[in-house]
């Protein structure tokens, strides 16, 4: 009995220390965002300023259309999530449960491209976007992300774990392959779909290098790109910069808090059965 | 009768409509970077004036922040969607872009209304690429020595001279800097000088010591003993004389050079002449002097150009804008605010100086600085080499200034890495 | 009859279900991968016509000091982030698996950095790393340690980027490990307890081997990710000082979009690809018995 308690105490200590190091940067960010510039450059640093300076938050959107950045990011992320989940689950099902010629070879190709760093495709994708006339449009951010080899892989891994009996009895009952997919597999895979959805949302929302290369106009920028260009302007105005990062982090935080259970459950189940 | 009236009215109406169509607005896109919000305001004020003068042309100004400016410009050009007119950095990019054929050659326009000889020699060198013009000079900027007058008064020291003929020698300068370095409880609370390790003052010092960075034709690195001596002297400000703050002090303090000068953390700052715009608006008494000399008074200038995209649909209108941006009228606006220095030779003549010097901005003794810019400016060598080569130069110099590596080794590395790029 | 057959045909439905995915995959993955390979044998600035130059880009890479430097930096970054990141996240996962109170809260806290954008995180850490007014050196000073100059020091900039990256990725790996741990049958532990094995022995003799598939996945993913690091470096240091934090993707970006050398950049991209490929293959071979494919 004592042993278990000791183990738990150690576990607590580890967890609390870890949690502190995880959250302190965020608290410091929030605290700085409410400080006056003069309170920032003091030693030793203080966690709380003399008064709460809301002005920093106004100054962020003073010079940058942060609302616009938000709308852009949301637009792009939602479209990408919907399509990527759809295409990934369809193809994942085909790879997991349908027999067709060349399946193994094609899946191996998908797997192989998982190893290809995205950056390998950067230059040709840019050239392609240029030829389509999509540079500095949101198409350049949306279209290349509608399909993902990783998502396909993830869904395939999940579908493989669904018991064969379910499928067989459905086939005997005269269900078409599509019926099996739509009526049996999809409803069973809500957690996996949610996981992929949240992953994709985060990935798209936080993407930096694609907007950096494809987007030029301020009005079309996404949140991370807007934030990074803001850094160029307010190089040492830390309160304003921190206010900007606070604003940028809020929506993902909300999505995460809302979808946390789904997300964790999804990871645990589809298990990235690795 | 009434039919006739109607008909006349119709004719008149259609003539009006047609002429309206002929007068239809051309909208030019004009892209620039934003070095400071003040600069953007000044540019926009100028553009409003241009629109007043040219009712048929509207200008849409696109300020872009930071380091990614030329990357964006390139991708826009490659995407066939570049702005009609834009700033282009003389350093590393102007020549590079011109040789790639993406800048409209301006000779036929330029010589009709402007004369190359009007410009100070450095600006002529800057504009000409293989004998042709692809962009017109905006202005000139070069490093000078800013100082906080209060700190000098407190120490009872004379201000740094602004007349290039009376410039301090390097040793005199070190002596003053030593007296302005104040230590309290083992911690330095006020440093004598900051900024010589940065780009621009650094190159000015090399030139001042009669050194070179590249060969005359920029085909190879040529950093002889003179250049190395200058760099060593700069390093010694910090390591031997202890009058300069630790390397990268600026990034660490979270302040810019102007703020450090204002708050008295540093008594003198070597920084670009453009900083005067910001300094003049800060509440302290700032002075401007010439850089101390190693062997001769010299400073190393630069500044962006205004170019037209070779793919523009409105070359005539675009030129009108560039011409306006090169005009004295536009330039004087930004010069009077302390951001720019004039690029025309005649503006430095005594009777012309009153037109652009503003006692609210340009401190006492600025006459000397005008002489400095008229006669002692050389172009910064970074104007004539590709960005890649300059990146390596900076990277290797970091090793000397930040990493204590021996200079001869650093120069050897530079030579080995830069020469293949220049050839 | 034929239609009816088609309706039940696996191949037909596989084609239909795969089609949209395959199209996107071919256009936006396979084609660029091939095109990039072709580009890597050319000289092109996007503006003037493309010129084929054979293998000279690769030959130049071999003698490009900067390339070797960024390659080394990339390895340095990977060696710095992956092992420590995995050890720490495993530790946290094991601690979190002790059936303690507040699991959800802890889990959410650890996940905060994961969901945050790298750009935002990088800006916050830049401020934390400020040698004079940043929180980090202040905390160090409480322990009597004089903190380094972090991002402006050629020695400490890379460790600083590594710390930030570990911090950011910890929660994700932890969650994967947690899922793996929860998949281990408690019977094993009970049997071990009867045999008198202590916690440490249990950890090394049950947890570690049974967690191997998860560890394999986490390791491969972490290596792949760290070889592709860019965002935090571009925001925090721009590769400096003295190129001490410049990594492969940063150099690729510079070549493509700052020096306008698309062919050279593509060659760098291919080297990156080959490295990641080799590493993954090594992993696959070594851990074949655990692999699930």
């Amino acid at each position: 009995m004592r042993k278990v308690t000791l183990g738990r105490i150690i576990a607590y200590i580890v967890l609390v220390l870890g949690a502190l190091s995880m959250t302190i940067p965020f608290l410091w960010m929030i605290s700085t965002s409410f400080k006056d510039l003069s309170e920032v450059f003091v030693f030793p640093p203080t966690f709380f300023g003399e008064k709460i300076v809301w002005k920093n938050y106004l100054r962020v959107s003073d010079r940058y259309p942060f609302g616009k950045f938000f709308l852009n990011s949301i637009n792009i992320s939602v479209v990408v999530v919907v399509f990527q989940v759809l295409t990934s689950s369809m193809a994942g099902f085909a790879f997991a449960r349908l027999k067709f010629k060349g399946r193994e070879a094609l899946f191996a190709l998908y797997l192989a491209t998982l190893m290809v760093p995205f950056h390998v495709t950067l230059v040709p994708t840019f050239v392609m976007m240029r030829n389509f006339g999509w540079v500095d449009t949101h198409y350049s951010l949306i279209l290349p992300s509608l399909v993902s080899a990783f998502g396909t892989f993830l869904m395939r891994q999940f579908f493989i774990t669904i018991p064969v009996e379910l499928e067989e009895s459905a086939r005997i009952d005269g269900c078409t392959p599509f019926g099996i997919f739509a009526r049996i597999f999809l409803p069973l895979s809500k957690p996996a779909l949610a996981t992929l959805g949240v992953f994709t949302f985060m990935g798209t929302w936080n993407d930096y290098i694609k907007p950096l290369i494809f987007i030029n106009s301020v009005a079309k920028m996404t949140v991370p790109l807007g934030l990074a260009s803001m850094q160029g302007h307010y190089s040492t105005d830390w309160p304003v910069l921190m206010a900007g990062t606070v604003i940028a982090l809020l929506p993902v935080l909300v999505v995460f808090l809302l979808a946390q259970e789904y997300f964790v459950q999804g990871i645990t189940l589809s298990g990235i059965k690795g | 009768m009434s039919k006739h009236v109607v008909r006349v009215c119709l004719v008149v109406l259609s003539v009006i409509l047609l002429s309206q169509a002929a007068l239809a607005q051309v909208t030019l896109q004009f892209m620039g970077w934003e070095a400071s919000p003040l600069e953007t305001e000044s540019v926009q004020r100028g553009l409003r004036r241009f629109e007043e003068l040219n009712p048929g042309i509207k200008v849409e100004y696109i300020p872009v922040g930071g380091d990614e400016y030329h990357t964006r410009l390139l991708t826009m050009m490659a995407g066939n969607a570049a702005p009609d007119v834009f700033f282009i950095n003389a350093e590393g990019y102007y020549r590079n872009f011109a040789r790639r054929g993406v800048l409209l050659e301006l000779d036929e326009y330029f010589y009709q209304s402007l004369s190359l000889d009007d410009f100070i020699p450095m600006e002529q060198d800057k504009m000409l690429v293989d004998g042709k013009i692809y962009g017109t000079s905006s202005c000139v900027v070069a490093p000078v020595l800013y100082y906080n007058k209060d700190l000098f008064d407190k120490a009872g020291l004379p201000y740094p001279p602004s007349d290039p003929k009376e410039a301090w020698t390097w040793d005199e300068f070190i002596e003053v800097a030593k007296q302005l370095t104040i230590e309290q409880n083992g911690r330095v609370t006020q440093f004598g000088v900051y900024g010589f390790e940065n780009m621009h003052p650094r190159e000015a010092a090399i030139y001042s010591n009669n050194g070179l960075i590249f060969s005359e034709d920029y085909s190879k690195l040529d950093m002889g003993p003179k250049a190395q001596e200058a760099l060593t002297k700069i390093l010694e400000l910090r390591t031997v004389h202890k009058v300069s703050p630790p390397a990268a002090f600026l990034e660490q303090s979270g302040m810019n050079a102007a703020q450090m000068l204002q708050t008295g953390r540093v008594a003198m700052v070597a920084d670009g002449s453009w900083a005067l715009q910001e300094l003049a608006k800060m509440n302290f008494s700032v002075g401007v002097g010439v850089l101390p000399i190693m062997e001769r008074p010299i400073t190393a200038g630069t500044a962006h150009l205004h170019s037209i995209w070779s793919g523009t649909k409105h070359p005539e209108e675009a030129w009108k804008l560039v011409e306006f941006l090169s005009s004295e009228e536009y330039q004087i606006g930004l010069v009077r605010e302390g951001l720019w220095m004039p690029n025309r030779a005649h503006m430095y003549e005594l009777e012309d100086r009153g037109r652009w010097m503003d006692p609210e901005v340009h401190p006492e003794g600025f006459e000397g600085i005008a002489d400095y810019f008229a006669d002692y400016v050389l172009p910064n060598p970074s104007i004539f080499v590709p960005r890649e080569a300059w990146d390596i130069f900076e990277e290797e110099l970091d090793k000397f200034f930040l990493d204590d590596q021996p200079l001869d080794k650093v120069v050897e590395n530079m030579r080995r890495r830069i020469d293949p790029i220049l050839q | 009859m034929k239609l009816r057959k088609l309706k039940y045909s696996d191949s037909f439905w596989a084609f239909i279900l795969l089609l949209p995915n395959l199209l996107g995959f071919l256009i936006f993955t396979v084609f660029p991968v091939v095109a990039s390979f072709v580009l890597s044998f050319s000289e092109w600035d996007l503006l003037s016509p493309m010129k084929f130059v054979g293998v000279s880009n690769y030959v130049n890479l071999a003698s490009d000091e900067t390339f070797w430097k960024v390659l080394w930096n990339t390895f340095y970054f990977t060696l710095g982030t992956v092992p420590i990141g995995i050890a720490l996240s495993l530790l946290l996962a094991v601690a979190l698996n002790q059936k303690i109170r507040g699991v959800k809260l802890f889990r959410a806290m650890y996940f905060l950095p994961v969901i945050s954008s790298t750009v935002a995180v990088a800006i916050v850490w830049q401020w934390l790393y400020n040698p004079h007014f940043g929180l980090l050196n202040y905390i160090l000073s409480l322990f009597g340690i004089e903190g380094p100059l972090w991002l402006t020091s050629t020695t400490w900039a890379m460790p600083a980027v590594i710390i930030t990256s570990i911090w950011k990725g910890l929660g994700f790996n932890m969650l994967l490990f947690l899922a793996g741990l929860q998949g281990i049958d408690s019977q094993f532990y009970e049997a071990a307890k009867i045999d008198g094995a202590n916690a440490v022995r249990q950890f090394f003799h049950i947890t570690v081997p049974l967690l191997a598939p998860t560890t394999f996945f986490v390791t491969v993913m972490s290596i792949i990710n760290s070889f592709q690091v860019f965002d935090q470096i571009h925001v925090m240091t721009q590769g400096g000082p003295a190129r001490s934090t410049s990594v492969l993707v940063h150099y690729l970006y510079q070549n493509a979009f700052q020096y306008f050398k698309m062919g050279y950049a593509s060659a760098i991209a291919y080297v990156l690809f080959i490295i990641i490929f080799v590493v993954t293959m090594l992993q696959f071979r070594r851990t074949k018995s655990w692999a699930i494919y």
Side-chain angles (χ1 to χ4, degrees):
Chain A
M1 227 22 219
R2 249 188 87 231
K3 238 180 191 169
V4 176
T5 335
L6 185 70
R8 279 196 192 165
I9 290 171
I10 295 173
Y12 265 117
I13 293 173
V14 168
L15 288 173
V16 168
L17 277 179
L20 277 178
S21 53
M22 288 295 126
T23 41
I24 282 178
F26 289 107
L27 299 176
W28 183 238
M29 162 186 85
I30 295 168
S31 118
T32 306
S33 75
F34 286 114
K35 281 184 190 167
D36 190 74
L37 189 58
S38 62
E39 295 172 318
V40 161
F41 298 117
V42 292
F43 193 89
T46 52
F47 235 97
F48 299 101
E50 296 240 315
K51 52 179 192 274
I52 293 180
V53 184
W54 293 98
K55 199 183 62 194
N56 297 326
Y57 283 82
L58 297 178
R59 282 176 60 209
V60 170
S61 43
D62 226 23
R63 308 190 39 78
Y64 283 90
F66 250 73
K68 188 94 184 127
F69 297 163
F70 265 110
L71 283 183
N72 292 342
S73 279
I74 286 173
N75 260 337
I76 294 165
S77 306
V78 167
V79 175
V80 167
V81 166
V82 168
F83 277 89
Q84 206 182 102
V85 168
L86 201 68
T87 56
S88 299
S89 54
M90 280 159 64
F93 175 76
F95 279 128
R97 284 310 170 80
L98 301 179
K99 290 175 194 69
F100 58 93
K101 233 176 143 182
R103 182 177 80 169
E104 303 311 318
L106 191 59
F107 187 63
L109 183 64
Y110 269 72
L111 271 188
T113 61
L114 270 188
M115 278 175 254
V116 180
F118 158 76
H119 308 95
V120 168
T121 63
L122 199 59
V123 170
T125 309
F126 176 76
V127 174
M128 214 156 42
M129 292 304 153
R130 172 188 84 142
N131 291 348
F132 295 158
W134 288 343
V135 170
D136 204 23
T137 71
H138 288 164
Y139 292 124
S140 61
L141 303 181
I142 292 174
L143 285 162
S145 304
L146 293 185
V147 167
S148 133
F150 177 73
T152 310
F153 167 74
L154 198 80
M155 291 314 295
R156 180 230 182 221
Q157 295 308 97
F158 180 78
F159 288 139
I160 275 185
T161 63
I162 292 179
V164 194
E165 296 77 37
L166 280 176
E167 186 189 338
E168 277 169 353
S169 60
R171 282 197 193 237
I172 292 165
D173 290 345
C175 213
T176 62
F178 183 76
I180 294 169
F181 168 66
R183 269 180 256 139
I184 299 174
F185 276 66
L186 273 191
L188 278 177
S189 50
K190 271 183 202 145
L193 294 175
T195 306
L196 180 59
V198 181
F199 267 125
T200 311
F201 180 82
M202 271 169 24
T204 317
W205 182 276
N206 293 337
D207 186 17
Y208 176 54
I209 196 167
K210 279 208 292 288
L212 175 69
I213 287 160
F214 293 137
I215 300 300
N216 298 315
S217 327
V218 173
K220 286 170 192 151
M221 284 184 178
T222 59
V223 174
L225 184 59
L227 201 59
S229 20
M230 195 175 97
Q231 188 207 17
H233 280 286
Y234 295 99
S235 48
T236 57
D237 198 338
W238 292 106
V240 175
L241 269 174
M242 290 301 117
T245 49
V246 170
I247 300 174
L249 290 180
L250 276 179
V252 199
L253 202 72
V254 171
V255 168
F256 174 68
L257 290 179
L258 289 177
Q260 195 196 169
E261 271 322 297
Y262 243 136
F263 187 65
V264 174
Q265 201 187 354
I267 276 201
T268 319
L269 277 178
S270 75
I272 307 219
K273 283 265 180 215
Chain B
M1 185 59 178
S2 68
K3 237 183 191 174
H4 188 71
V5 171
V6 169
R7 203 169 291 159
V8 169
C9 282
L10 276 174
V11 170
V12 169
L13 200 68
S14 55
V15 166
I16 289 171
L17 282 175
L18 276 175
S19 60
Q20 279 285 323
L23 276 173
Q25 296 266 335
V26 167
T27 303
L28 291 175
Q29 285 193 317
F30 174 36
M31 187 162 100
W33 57 76
E34 189 175 74
S36 74
L38 288 174
E39 178 169 5
T40 302
E41 277 167 36
S42 310
V43 171
Q44 263 160 345
R45 212 172 304 131
L47 291 177
R48 280 198 292 278
R49 176 80 184 124
F50 173 74
E51 287 177 338
E52 278 166 33
L53 294 171
N54 298 275
I57 309 176
K58 277 212 117 33
V59 182
E60 186 192 328
Y61 184 55
I62 316 165
V64 169
D67 288 337
E68 308 300 334
Y69 179 85
H70 293 88
T71 298
R72 292 199 188 293
L73 191 55
L74 171 88
T75 58
M76 287 165 125
M77 285 168 171
N80 220 17
D84 303 278
V85 180
F86 40 83
F87 288 23
I88 188 160
N89 195 344
E91 298 173 333
Y93 288 105
Y94 169 60
R95 264 144 236 282
N96 190 327
F97 275 60
R99 294 199 172 113
R100 284 170 211 273
V102 288
L103 306 183
L104 192 70
E105 194 212 294
L106 299 176
D107 282 13
E108 62 167 315
Y109 300 108
F110 185 91
Y111 291 109
Q112 270 180 22
S113 49
L114 300 168
S115 157
L116 201 56
D117 296 333
D118 272 356
F119 292 84
I120 58 172
M122 175 205 138
E123 290 306 304
Q124 300 181 21
D125 289 349
K126 193 171 87 184
M127 281 189 274
L128 288 175
V129 184
D130 308 325
K132 289 193 158 61
I133 293 171
Y134 298 89
T136 64
S137 153
S138 61
C139 64
V140 61
V141 289
V144 291
L145 191 69
Y146 296 104
Y147 55 95
N148 185 326
K149 285 185 176 167
D150 296 341
L151 303 181
F152 275 79
D153 293 344
K154 219 189 285 169
L157 291 164
Y159 299 144
S162 62
D163 182 344
K165 291 189 200 73
E166 287 162 21
W168 280 336
T169 64
W170 194 255
D171 292 335
E172 286 169 342
F173 166 67
I174 290 172
E175 275 317 302
V176 174
K178 275 183 182 161
Q179 294 182 54
L180 287 164
T181 303
I182 298 172
E183 211 177 287
Q184 273 172 0
N185 310 325
R187 228 181 129 157
V188 178
T189 51
Q190 177 185 313
F191 284 101
V193 62
Y194 171 81
F196 271 97
E197 289 177 22
N198 296 336
M199 182 170 178
H200 300 120
R202 193 179 59 198
E203 286 82 55
I206 291 173
Y207 279 168
S208 172
N209 203 36
N210 283 311
L212 280 176
I213 297 178
F214 303 101
S215 62
E216 299 266 336
D217 60 353
Y218 293 92
S219 67
K220 63 181 205 294
L221 192 87
D222 187 11
M223 271 179 84
K226 283 288 179 191
Q228 299 190 28
E229 184 188 36
L231 290 171
T232 307
K233 281 182 172 176
I234 290 174
L235 180 70
E236 283 172 355
L237 288 177
R238 171 155 60 84
T239 56
V240 176
H241 309 296
K242 316 245 188 254
V243 296
S244 221
F249 183 66
L250 207 63
E251 290 95 321
Q252 294 156 26
S253 69
M255 288 188 215
N256 63 27
Q259 288 166 325
M260 295 203 308
L261 197 62
Q262 180 193 27
T263 54
R265 274 162 213 253
V266 176
M268 295 180 278
V269 165
D271 198 5
S273 52
W274 60 81
L276 189 58
Q277 183 187 33
E278 189 187 347
L279 284 164
K281 295 210 167 155
M282 295 168 97
N283 247 337
F284 74 106
S285 67
V286 61
V288 189
V290 295
L291 297 173
I293 57 177
M294 289 191 175
E295 285 191 359
R296 56 171 175 164
I298 212 80
T299 188
T302 181
H304 68 273
L305 300 101
H306 295 116
S307 289
I308 301 175
W309 179 37
S310 57
T312 180
K313 291 193 180 72
H314 313 289
E316 300 292 331
E317 289 84 356
W319 169 251
K320 273 194 185 151
L321 177 58
V322 171
E323 194 183 7
F324 174 78
L325 297 172
S326 328
S327 68
E328 284 178 23
E329 180 185 357
Y330 176 70
Q331 192 177 116
I332 283 177
L334 285 122
V335 169
R336 285 185 69 90
E337 288 174 27
L339 188 67
W340 291 1
M341 289 293 285
N343 57 13
R344 304 296 214 286
H346 70 85
M347 285 170 77
Y348 287 100
E349 277 160 25
L350 284 176
E351 62 272 21
D352 265 14
R353 290 182 181 178
R355 290 169 53 215
W356 55 267
M357 274 196 212
D358 180 351
E360 298 277 300
V361 173
H362 300 97
E364 220 176 301
F366 204 81
E367 293 285 333
I369 301 294
D371 293 341
Y372 200 38
F373 275 77
D375 299 319
Y376 300 94
V377 183
L378 287 178
N380 194 295
S382 64
I383 293 172
F384 304 98
V385 295
R387 159 94 193 243
E388 241 180 304
W390 194 260
D391 277 0
I392 294 174
F393 174 73
E394 294 273 358
E395 179 193 330
E396 290 293 338
L397 266 190
D398 271 359
K399 291 181 188 164
F400 171 66
F401 283 125
L402 305 177
D403 241 7
D404 306 323
Q405 293 197 14
L407 188 55
D408 47 350
K409 191 179 137 208
V410 164
V411 170
E412 191 41 51
N413 282 341
M414 282 183 194
R415 198 189 326 273
R416 194 181 60 246
R417 298 175 61 193
I418 292 177
D419 281 0
I421 298 173
L422 295 180
Q423 275 152 16
Chain C
M1 188 60 198
K2 237 185 174 175
L3 242 171
R4 213 189 120 69
K5 221 177 142 187
L6 205 59
K7 212 171 123 188
Y8 288 99
S9 151
D10 268 15
S11 306
F12 170 71
W13 282 110
F15 176 74
I16 299 287
L17 290 174
L18 272 174
L19 189 65
N21 195 303
L22 203 57
L23 266 179
F25 179 66
L26 288 177
I27 298 174
F28 292 112
T29 304
V30 176
F31 172 73
V33 169
V34 175
S36 187
F37 187 66
V38 176
L39 263 177
S40 74
F41 296 101
S42 75
E43 209 181 284
W44 193 31
D45 65 357
L46 286 176
L47 305 167
S48 17
M50 199 191 298
K51 206 166 76 194
F52 281 89
V53 291
V55 292
S56 77
N57 283 330
Y58 291 95
V59 172
N60 291 342
L61 268 184
S63 60
D64 179 353
E65 270 179 54
T66 314
F67 169 72
W68 290 106
K69 168 126 197 178
V70 300
L71 189 61
W72 159 245
N73 287 343
T74 314
F75 276 100
Y76 180 10
F77 177 83
T78 306
L79 287 173
T81 45
V82 177
I84 299 176
I86 286 181
L88 284 179
S89 51
L90 182 57
L91 180 71
L92 290 175
V94 170
L96 208 53
N97 203 29
Q98 300 299 308
K99 304 193 175 48
I100 50 170
R101 278 164 195 249
V103 172
K104 275 190 195 170
L105 184 69
F106 280 123
R107 212 172 50 192
M109 281 174 163
Y110 290 123
F111 228 68
L112 264 179
V114 178
I115 54 162
S116 307
S117 102
T118 314
V119 173
V121 161
I123 293 176
V124 172
W125 276 85
Q126 246 182 319
W127 176 221
L128 286 165
Y129 282 130
N130 185 299
H132 289 342
F133 307 106
L135 195 60
L136 203 63
N137 275 2
Y138 174 64
I139 294 174
L140 287 177
S141 76
L142 295 180
F143 295 96
I145 303 167
E146 197 191 332
L149 300 180
W150 296 113
L151 298 172
T152 45
S153 145
T154 49
T155 319
W156 284 98
M158 188 55 111
V161 175
I162 288 174
I163 291 171
T164 306
S165 306
I166 293 177
W167 177 83
K168 178 145 185 4
L170 213 54
F172 187 81
N173 289 344
M174 183 205 70
L175 213 58
L176 293 178
F177 276 126
L178 198 59
L181 285 173
Q182 281 162 0
I184 298 177
D185 201 323
S186 58
Q187 279 176 2
F188 288 109
Y189 292 107
E190 272 147 33
K193 250 183 237 163
I194 292 166
D195 289 349
N198 64 16
V200 177
R201 276 183 70 93
Q202 284 179 32
F203 177 75
F204 282 105
H205 287 96
I206 301 174
T207 313
V208 169
L210 287 177
L211 212 55
T214 313
T215 314
F216 161 76
F217 184 81
V218 173
T219 310
V220 171
M221 279 301 167
S222 305
I223 291 179
I224 291 181
N225 284 336
S226 51
F227 266 99
Q228 300 181 53
V229 60
F230 174 77
D231 294 7
Q232 55 267 57
I233 282 171
H234 192 249
V235 174
M236 287 169 89
T237 63
Q238 308 246 322
R243 228 177 239 291
S244 59
T245 56
S246 178
V247 286
L248 273 177
V249 177
H250 178 256
Y251 192 46
L252 184 161
Y253 173 83
Q254 275 197 311
N255 269 291
F257 300 103
Q258 287 181 343
Y259 308 151
F260 317 137
K261 293 159 88 173
M262 297 297 157
Y264 203 57
S266 299
I268 296 171
Y270 257 82
V271 173
L272 177 66
F273 174 35
I274 291 162
I275 293 170
I276 287 180
F277 185 77
V278 168
V279 170
T280 320
M281 282 298 130
L282 285 178
Q283 280 281 352
F284 265 105
R285 287 182 65 140
R286 221 167 56 78
T287 56
K288 211 165 198 171
S289 51
W290 303 336
I292 35 88
Y293 310 121

